[in-house]
Amino acid sequence: LGCRYVIVGHSERRQMHHEVDEVVAAKALQVLDHGMTPVICVGETADERNSGRAQEVVCGQIAKQVSVLQDRLADCLIAYEPVWAIGTGKVASADIAQDMHRHIRLQLAEFDLDVASHVGILYGGSVNPDNAVELFAMPDIDGGLVGGASLNPQDFLAICQA
């Protein structure tokens, strides 16, 4: 069909189908084995963020991917999607998003500096034309995993231009 990218570990799959990090990593390997690029989603719920565990949760998700994917991680993309910001109308500020992206990149650097500098880290928490420019200006945010805004051609074009 010409697909090049496959989303794995999306918050809805994790919540509704109880997909755990090991399943996400196994799916990412299958995507790689079939010549496509996995977009590995990680993120925390509102309860996890409010209890001060956001970094712990996301870094735990990244650690499992690193342990399974090893040298193949360089061929993946990571998408940080704060679950509390998806479809809720709430949006992480650019500073909050950047902070988590920086932690993800630092964790990748502990594994391999080259991987950390080359793996794209996307933001996927309600990207829209109003926040895209500020989000994409952040040093560790490499692009967006756009959801609902992709359904409106004008909004999507504005995000792409950002």
Side-chain angles (χ1 to χ4, degrees), residues 4-34:
R4 295 181 15 211
Y5 300 91
V6 179
I7 296 172
V8 296
H10 190 275
S11 61
E12 291 174 350
R13 295 288 309 179
R14 289 177 184 262
Q15 288 175 343
M16 294 179 202
H17 299 281
H18 310 290
E19 288 187 2
V20 295
D21 295 323
E22 293 82 3
V23 171
V24 174
K27 285 184 172 192
L29 281 174
Q30 286 293 310
V31 171
L32 289 164
D33 287 346
H34 287 89

Side-chain angles (χ1 to χ4, degrees), residues 1-2 7-9 28 34 37 49 51 62 79 82 84 89 91-92 99-100 102 110 113-114 120 125 130 138 141 143:
L1 297 174
I7 296 172
V8 296
H34 287 89
T37 301
R49 174 157 284 279
S51 68
I62 295 292
W84 52 270
V91 179
D99 185 57
M100 187 62 79
R102 182 175 57 82
E110 289 178 15
L113 283 172
D114 192 49
D130 296 328
M138 293 295 167
I141 298 177

